[in-house]
Structures are given as structure tokens and as C-alpha cells.
Amino acid sequence: MSDTLTQRELGLLIIRFSLITVVSFVAFKWMLHKIDPTKKQKEEAKKKALANLKRLGMKTDTDLNDHEMMVAANLVGPNDIPVSWDDVAGLDNIIEELKYSVIYPIKLMRARPESRLTRPPKGVLLHGPPGCGKTLLAKATAREAGTNFINLEVSLLTDKWYGESQKIAAAVFTLATKLQPCIIFIDEIDSFLRSRTTQDHEATAMMKAQFMSFWDGLLTDPNCTVIVMGATNRASDIDAAILRRMPTVFFIDYPSTTQRQKVLGLTLKGEQLASDVSLDVLATKTDGFSCSDLYELCRKAVSTRNQKAFQSYVKSQENGGIFDSRNQSKEDSSKDLSSSQSSKSPSSKSERPSGDAEFVNIRISPLCMEDFEKSLVKMKAARSIFQS
């Protein structure tokens, strides 16, 4: 009898211990989930990922793990990319090379999958000075090729938990394979895949190794249409093993005079220009400017023009409503006003915020060469400070 009681007590003790262990484990996981500082970020990423998958016409119950969901938050469909070849100016030769080396092979591979030599490259590197259109080209390439686009942020691959970074790096490629054809774009790729040294942290070294290992898997799979595209202005800092995996390389230099003229024409498309504005002269005076510098030049010119209009409007209000901007006649001013209002959306004045109502009466004159000259002086002064 005592032996039977002892066995019963032992059984109850085992059951009690098992229950305590399970409850403790569940409570510990719940506590970690609650105190996780990235909890809100992960929930928002999952919602964004589901919205992206739905927009692409994929089932929201697609078999994706948590790490793939995090990567899918940075997924963009080809029809959602707001950039095309029409938005790229002055890089016609690069566009032609991209068409024949990347886009056409992707489309030809769908039509003739039996040919091994028609496969697109598994890695493409865009390098050159900053602000010359590398990121713009990558987005336009994905749109024109009709591929999905994963804008991979380096911060996504870093996690405080040991081993999570490697899992996320693996999820990038497993997700891209499920969504192929797909382009994985890494901006400033040198900051992530720079040359490996003995001083690298263990987690960083393991993440790079995992990334390259899965990248090699793409090379061995003949039916996989996943391209890793990187952009950098410091190609010499990239690891040699990464450069080997990116056989197609494009150098995008500062635009020439002819290219600058095309960039200015595209940037100022839709703007009212005075008769004295010469894009040829502006292109000659902006030697050494990048595409982003030219955009900023035009933006500053518009700001200078608007500043004069605002000052003239305020002065006219102080003088009893008599408007005078650059000695314009009332007839010319009314023409500028009507043309500027016609280019805006046909929303009624009642739909405008009350705080913006007064700006409707401001007459905006066309951009003149003086606006660009003042903008050019400011930009050259700022550039001289950074270059000194």
C-alpha cells in the first residue's frame, strides 16, 4: 500500500513539475514579447507586408515565415514603382546597356528557358559619384523588366538577438525566390558588404557569410530569376568575393554638358520659363554638378522666384492692394495668374485650407535667368565650403 502511494505521489510530482515548467516557459515568452522594444515595429512590418502581398495579387495566407514577412514589408511591385525610363535623362547609353544585359535576358529567359547562356546576371553593380542617378536607374530597371523589387535596408538585417541576422539574410533570398522574377536592391552596398577583416564582429562576419552562401545558391539554380543589384560611390571598399558575384558593372559618372542640358530640360518640364532662359548656358555654367545638384539648382531658382512674388504681394497689401512684381503690367500679371491657376488641380476655393487662401492671389511670374544666376551663386558658395 505504501509502495502504491509512493508511486502516486511521484506521478503527481512529475505532473506538477511539468505544469510549472510549461507555465513558466509560456510566461517567460509572454514577458519577452511584451518587453521587446521592436514589437510595434514588427507588427507594423507584418501589416505592411500583408498589404504589399495583397496589392501584388498574392494570397495573404502565403506560406511565409516571420522573417520573410519582415523582408516583405520592403517589397514593391513593378506597377507600384513610380520611376520609368522617361524619368531618367542624359543616361541613354547606360539605359541601352541595361536593356541588353539585364532586361532583355529576363524576358528572353521566360520565352526560351532551355538556353543557359540567355540567363540574366545574378549581380549588377552601379557605381560612380553620388547623386548621379544610380538608385533611379535601379528602380526604372525593375519597372521596365516587370520584376518585383525588394529595397533591402541594411538596418533590416541587424538584430540584437544572436542568430537572427543570419535568419533575416536567408529570408531575403527565400522570399525573392518565391516572388521571382525579383530584384534585390542594396543602396550603399559598401556599408554592408565591405571587405572582410579580422576585426569584424562575429555576428557581422556570419551574416556576410550567410548572404554570400545563399547568393551562390542563385548561381547554381538555372531556373531562378533573382538579381542582386547594388549601388555605391566607393566600389573599392566592397569585398572581392562580392565583386566576383556581380559580373555586370556600370560606371555612372558626372553628367557632361549635353547630359546636364537634358537633365535640366526634364527637371524644368512643366515650369514656365522666361524668354531669356537658356538651358545651354546653364549646362555650361554647371560643370561638375551631379543630377541631384541640378535638381537643387532648379528648386532654389523657383524658391528665389517665389520669394520675390511673396515680397511683392506683402508690399502690395501694405500699399492698399497695388501689386507690382518686376514692373509687370496688369495684363501680363493676369496672364501669369490665369496660366498658373489653370495648371493646378480644378479644386474649388472652398476645398482649400483657410490658411492657404491668401496665396491664391499671389501672381507667380515665369522663371528668368536672374533666378538661376542667384541660385547658382548660392550653390557654388556652399560647394566651395565643403570642398575646402
Side-chain angles (χ1 to χ4, degrees):
M1 184 71 181
S2 58
D3 293 338
T4 305
L5 184 62
T6 302
Q7 291 178 359
R8 184 181 303 171
E9 290 177 348
L10 181 61
L12 292 174
L13 182 62
I14 293 174
I15 294 173
R16 189 182 299 116
F17 179 76
S18 301
L19 288 174
I20 293 175
T21 302
V22 171
V23 171
S24 300
F25 176 76
V26 173
F28 182 71
K29 287 205 69 174
W30 177 85
M31 183 178 64
L32 285 179
H33 178 70
K34 289 297 181 181
I35 66 175
D36 185 4
T38 62
K39 171 190 171 185
K40 186 176 180 180
Q41 180 183 356
K42 290 179 179 178
E43 291 177 351
E44 291 178 354
K46 186 174 181 179
K47 291 179 181 178
K48 188 176 179 181
L50 292 173
N52 291 340
L53 294 174
K54 185 177 181 180
R55 189 166 57 252
L56 293 176
M58 299 182 60
K59 296 181 180 179
T60 54
D61 58 349
T62 305
D63 187 18
L64 300 180
N65 58 41
D66 292 339
H67 299 94
E68 290 174 341
M69 279 291 184
M70 292 176 61
V71 178
N74 296 312
L75 176 65
V76 183
N79 296 327
D80 297 326
I81 299 175
V83 178
S84 65
W85 295 138
D86 296 334
D87 301 307
V88 182
L91 296 175
D92 299 337
N93 57 334
I94 301 294
I95 290 175
E96 283 298 312
E97 291 185 31
L98 279 170
K99 286 180 179 179
Y100 287 107
S101 60
V102 179
I103 296 178
Y104 292 161
I106 291 176
K107 296 182 177 181
L108 189 59
M109 185 177 178
R110 300 172 190 169
R112 299 185 59 184
E114 71 279 359
S115 177
R116 298 181 58 185
L117 300 179
T118 58
R119 300 173 191 169
K122 298 300 182 182
V124 178
L125 179 64
L126 306 173
H127 71 104
C132 291
K134 297 183 291 293
T135 304
L136 198 69
L137 274 175
K139 294 179 179 179
T141 301
R143 179 183 176 87
E144 297 296 333
T147 64
N148 293 314
F149 187 83
I150 297 178
N151 187 19
L152 185 60
E153 300 175 356
V154 179
S155 58
L156 176 67
L157 297 174
T158 56
D159 195 284
K160 67 177 182 177
W161 301 111
Y162 186 81
E164 286 297 300
S165 295
Q166 293 91 290
K167 293 179 182 179
I168 298 174
V172 172
F173 289 95
T174 55
L175 175 66
T177 303
K178 293 176 182 179
L179 301 176
Q180 60 178 305
C182 184
I183 290 179
I184 303 171
F185 178 67
I186 310 174
D187 200 5
E188 304 298 340
I189 191 174
D190 58 285
S191 64
F192 167 46
L193 298 173
R194 64 172 59 248
S195 298
R196 290 167 291 177
T197 63
T198 54
Q199 285 77 29
D200 283 349
H201 192 274
E202 180 186 1
T204 304
M206 292 175 63
M207 181 174 59
K208 290 180 182 179
Q210 183 83 333
F211 197 90
M212 288 188 287
S213 175
F214 274 86
W215 198 343
D216 278 336
L218 299 180
L219 299 175
T220 56
D221 186 358
N223 299 318
C224 186
T225 312
V226 176
I227 301 174
V228 179
M229 184 175 288
T232 179
N233 53 8
R234 302 177 64 179
S236 58
D237 290 348
I238 301 177
D239 192 272
I242 298 299
L243 293 176
R244 182 187 66 79
R245 291 168 171 82
M246 307 183 86
T248 306
V249 181
F250 297 96
F251 177 66
I252 304 172
D253 202 358
Y254 285 112
S256 62
T257 303
T258 304
Q259 290 173 326
R260 290 196 299 272
Q261 186 174 354
K262 292 181 180 180
V263 173
L264 287 169
L266 180 62
T267 305
L268 295 171
K269 184 179 181 181
E271 294 289 340
Q272 293 182 346
L273 301 179
S275 58
D276 65 336
V277 175
S278 173
L279 298 183
D280 189 19
V281 173
L282 285 175
T284 304
K285 291 185 177 182
T286 52
D287 185 33
F289 276 44
S290 65
C291 297
S292 59
D293 291 335
L294 294 173
Y295 174 84
E296 186 64 17
L297 173 70
C298 297
R299 192 194 66 81
K300 286 183 180 293
V302 171
S303 178
T304 302
R305 186 268 312 271
N306 293 345
Q307 181 181 356
K308 290 184 178 182
F310 295 152
Q311 291 173 349
S312 297
Y313 176 75
V314 172
K315 188 176 180 180
S316 69
Q317 295 300 308
E318 295 174 352
N319 294 335
I322 302 175
F323 180 78
D324 180 22
S325 175
R326 300 181 183 173
N327 298 322
Q328 281 184 314
S329 64
K330 291 185 177 180
E331 183 180 356
D332 293 338
S333 298
S334 61
K335 288 181 180 179
D336 295 337
L337 175 61
S338 61
S339 61
S340 62
Q341 287 181 341
S342 63
S343 63
K344 296 178 181 178
S345 58
S347 58
S348 62
K349 293 182 180 179
S350 59
E351 295 176 353
R352 295 177 179 274
S354 57
D356 297 339
E358 60 177 330
F359 290 97
V360 178
N361 298 323
I362 297 179
R363 300 185 181 98
I364 304 297
S365 59
L367 285 167
C368 67
M369 202 64 179
E370 180 186 358
D371 299 325
F372 288 100
E373 292 288 353
K374 290 183 178 180
S375 175
L376 191 59
V377 169
K378 292 179 182 179
M379 290 199 65
K380 286 187 175 181
R383 287 164 62 89
S384 63
I385 294 175
F386 291 114
Q387 291 174 357
S388 60

